[in-house]
Amino acid sequence: MREFDALIIGSGLGGMTMALHLADHIQVGLITKRELRDGGSGWAQGGIAAVLDGTDSVELHIRDTHVAGAGLCDHDSTRFIVEHSKEAIDWLIQMGVPFTKDTEGDSAYQGYHLTREGGHSHRRIIHAADATGAAVIDTLAHKVAAHPNITVLESHIAIDLITDQKLGRSGRHCYGAYVYDKETDRVETIVAKSTVLASGGAGKVYLYTTNPDVATGDGIAMGWRAGCRVANMEFIQFHPTCLYHPHAKSFLITEAVRGEGGILRLPDGTRFMPLHDERAELAPRDIVARAIDFEMKKGGFDCVYLDISYKPAAFIKEHFPNIYLRCLELGIDITKEPIPVVPAAHYTCGGVVSDMAGRTDVTSLYAVGEVACTGLHGANRLASNSLLECMVLGKAAATDILKATATERPNIPEWDESQVTDPDEEVVISHNWDELRRFMWDYVGIVRTNKRLERALHRIELLQHEIDDYYSNFRVSNDLIELRNLVQSAELIVRCAMDRKESRGLHYSRDYPGMLSEAKSTILSPD
């Protein structure tokens, strides 16, 4: 049995931020499903939104967030996060993140270049070329790995949280988690005074996604099973521009390409976004994704094209070096030809309900980052607000943990696998995984109907019975744990979607195409 003052489940920006703010004071355990740098944050390309330029303001950033969120953003949460945005960026600069310097005389902060993305009224995105997430995570990972009070456990995946409920006790307290060590093929019991869900979103529930393979909704499912409310899971953001190529797995074409003048075209070269929204390519992601989906279905196209080739080649290579090189590897020279793109599941706007200190409905359990629903993103996340939320709430949750008083811990039993055996047919897992992702794409995608949602829920219930039976009889494995969590996350997405009798933000229903006058969150409770 391992013991820490704080156990952090996930090694993205939220988890690393918390670890670094806590580790000067207490012992921290940080578990990650693969290696330390393999979280979803490292995949972020565009940058981090913050009020940095003198012509910008907190009020304007809040307004842009509310507009993108289709009236569903929580005002207090949004204000808190935006007001702390400059502080968060200054911390990253202090940590040594190599943000791109300004060479063009554009809006800048401390000599750093600021760009603009869809839905933003100002240049306020600080970035490291077109690989901001990787630059931030690489910088912080060095700090985390070197800190004497942080124990990093790689190749570990949490199975379930240890709560009063799981122990058969009254009360709503979390004491840690049961964790599967993939290298030893054993389940460890890790106890902690505070436990943090920082495990990212559930993009892998869909067939096409920009997310890494680890984005399987683990924290959302574990939080739900532990007794936490879950909210707004119907709002799955589909990024409008994922590279369409048979050999390009989950490669995102950043929002900043459109922010710097990229034009969306049909296969015959026709520009179409002005027909869908007056903001054209700079409209929020939900509008752009639906427009692309509409044009693809209308014309029977496999993809559309994002064209920035009319810009000087030097400009493209300087601003988008990683995209340029990756496309060139696949035979696409973006300085001379457009990029084939399709929408793909990108971000989970809903999640475990948490407050401005990261606290959930279960005492000593926190949720930070994409796994959480703070109310910031509303019905549609404004571009580059996600990394900002990770940092601001990561620090706030760390502060709350350091102030919390310890609770007496009951006797924690070790993981019991005396009643299970080795699995007989692994094909059950792979088949169910494939089936789930395909029907979620077909029935619970960018455009939804009541009939599609009912079909999806019926299939989910059948899969849940199979998976529960498998889980009860066989030893756990990484694939089984992830599949169990994916199916639970899928059920929450569908149930939230069925509860919303309107179209708002990322949730578009053909049966309810209008938007209601009052914006309300969809909140599910396991009780």
Side-chain angles (χ1 to χ4, degrees):
M1 185 180 293
R2 293 179 185 262
E3 184 171 355
F4 299 103
D5 295 308
L7 171 65
I8 300 173
I9 301 171
S11 64
L13 182 55
M16 286 194 188
T17 298
M18 287 199 69
L20 290 170
H21 281 299
L22 289 170
D24 286 343
H25 310 280
I26 61 176
Q27 293 293 322
V28 177
L30 189 152
I31 69 170
T32 181
K33 289 162 71 171
R34 292 189 177 177
E35 297 181 350
L36 181 59
R37 291 172 172 81
D38 280 343
S41 300
W43 289 45
Q45 292 180 346
I48 306 171
V51 180
L52 303 172
D53 182 76
T55 64
D56 198 5
S57 71
V58 167
E59 299 305 323
L60 288 172
H61 191 168
I62 290 172
R63 186 196 68 184
D64 291 346
T65 301
H66 278 291
V67 170
L72 200 63
C73 302
D74 180 86
H75 186 73
D76 292 339
S77 301
T78 304
R79 177 169 293 280
F80 178 82
I81 292 168
V82 172
E83 284 182 343
H84 288 83
S85 61
K86 180 178 178 295
E87 174 189 320
I89 297 302
D90 287 342
W91 180 71
L92 286 182
I93 292 173
Q94 180 187 340
M95 290 290 105
V97 174
F99 290 117
T100 296
K101 296 288 187 177
D102 178 49
T103 59
E104 303 169 356
D106 290 328
S107 179
Y109 175 69
Q110 294 187 17
Y112 295 108
H113 181 260
L114 302 179
T115 189
R116 182 183 174 193
E117 295 181 350
H120 289 275
S121 58
H122 279 68
R123 285 181 173 266
R124 63 167 69 101
I125 315 301
I126 190 167
H127 61 102
D130 59 348
T132 306
V136 171
I137 291 301
D138 284 348
T139 302
L140 298 189
H142 285 296
K143 305 280 187 183
V144 168
H147 203 293
N149 287 349
I150 301 176
T151 301
V152 178
L153 301 174
E154 296 183 329
S155 297
H156 282 64
I157 177 171
I159 304 171
D160 263 326
L161 299 166
I162 302 171
T163 61
D164 283 321
Q165 179 188 47
K166 193 169 187 68
L167 298 176
R169 294 163 44 93
S170 60
R172 300 177 67 86
H173 201 101
C174 182
Y175 305 101
Y178 291 115
V179 178
Y180 175 64
D181 181 345
K182 292 188 275 186
E183 292 185 352
T184 65
D185 194 28
R186 295 189 61 181
V187 177
E188 297 182 10
T189 304
I190 303 181
V191 296
K193 296 172 185 174
S194 300
T195 304
V196 183
L197 298 173
S199 50
K204 293 298 287 188
V205 79
Y206 286 98
L207 185 60
Y208 301 111
T209 177
T210 65
N211 292 180
D213 290 341
V214 294
T216 52
D218 303 325
I220 296 168
M222 284 190 292
W224 174 259
R225 291 193 295 264
C228 295
R229 288 171 299 155
V230 167
N232 294 343
M233 288 293 290
E234 69 270 39
F235 299 119
I236 301 294
Q237 186 174 75
F238 288 81
H239 197 288
T241 54
C242 184
L243 179 61
Y244 179 73
H245 192 281
H247 301 132
K249 182 180 180 182
S250 305
F251 189 75
L252 176 69
I253 305 299
T254 174
E255 194 98 8
V257 173
R258 285 181 286 124
E260 295 295 342
I263 296 171
L264 285 164
R265 302 185 187 278
L266 300 178
D268 66 0
T270 303
R271 187 183 184 189
F272 61 87
M273 275 309 302
L275 301 175
H276 294 269
D277 192 279
E278 62 183 10
R279 292 163 290 187
E281 281 79 10
L282 290 178
R285 288 175 176 174
D286 60 324
I287 293 172
V288 179
R290 274 202 303 276
I292 294 173
D293 183 67
F294 174 84
E295 296 292 347
M296 285 172 59
K297 287 176 178 173
K298 176 185 174 184
F301 308 131
D302 291 329
C303 65
V304 295
Y305 293 85
L306 180 59
D307 186 13
I308 198 166
S309 63
Y310 69 94
K311 291 273 191 178
F315 174 92
I316 295 171
K317 292 175 184 177
E318 179 185 354
H319 282 74
F320 310 111
N322 292 289
I323 293 173
Y324 170 73
L325 290 174
R326 179 60 178 140
C327 287
L328 202 60
E329 289 173 0
L330 299 168
I332 304 166
D333 185 347
I334 69 173
T335 67
K336 299 177 180 177
E337 58 188 317
I339 309 165
V341 294
V342 292
H346 183 59
Y347 193 86
T348 309
C349 289
V352 176
V353 175
S354 63
D355 65 11
M356 285 301 91
R359 293 173 296 219
T360 71
D361 296 328
V362 176
T363 306
S364 297
L365 178 65
Y366 296 77
V368 172
E370 192 173 354
V371 69
C373 183
T374 64
L376 171 67
H377 305 308
N380 179 28
R381 176 178 68 91
L382 180 65
S384 291
N385 267 355
S386 53
L387 296 184
L388 174 65
E389 182 187 40
C390 287
M391 289 187 296
V392 174
L393 269 297
K395 181 180 179 182
T399 301
D400 193 77
I401 286 174
L402 293 175
K403 293 189 301 184
T405 56
T407 302
E408 184 177 350
R409 191 181 77 214
N411 179 52
I412 306 294
E414 295 282 3
W415 181 260
D416 180 15
E417 54 180 28
S418 60
Q419 304 299 314
V420 296
T421 61
D422 290 327
D424 53 1
E425 289 185 338
E426 296 278 356
V427 70
V428 174
I429 296 176
S430 60
H431 174 81
N432 286 357
W433 184 296
D434 184 64
E435 181 183 349
L436 172 70
R437 296 181 68 206
R438 286 184 181 279
F439 72 64
M440 285 296 290
W441 183 261
D442 291 338
Y443 298 151
V444 199
I446 296 172
V447 176
R448 299 160 180 173
T449 67
N450 288 344
K451 184 170 288 187
R452 290 178 186 176
L453 294 175
E454 289 167 2
R455 286 172 176 165
L457 186 60
H458 175 67
R459 283 161 174 76
I460 287 169
E461 289 170 347
L462 293 175
L463 287 182
Q464 283 177 324
H465 288 304
E466 284 189 22
I467 294 164
D468 288 345
D469 180 67
Y470 199 95
Y471 181 80
S472 299
N473 288 287
F474 301 115
R475 289 192 176 90
V476 296
S477 66
N478 181 81
D479 289 348
L480 175 58
I481 295 166
E482 288 186 329
L483 177 61
R484 180 177 179 238
N485 292 331
L486 272 178
V487 173
Q488 181 61 76
S489 298
E491 183 201 350
L492 295 170
I493 292 169
V494 173
R495 285 178 56 188
C496 283
M498 294 177 81
D499 281 355
R500 186 163 293 279
K501 309 300 184 186
E502 64 167 346
S503 290
R504 183 183 297 274
L506 300 166
H507 173 75
Y508 185 80
S509 170
R510 284 184 178 169
D511 296 299
Y512 308 102
M515 187 164 67
L516 298 176
S517 58
E518 184 179 2
K520 291 184 177 181
S521 290
T522 307
I523 302 176
L524 303 179
S525 175
D527 298 331

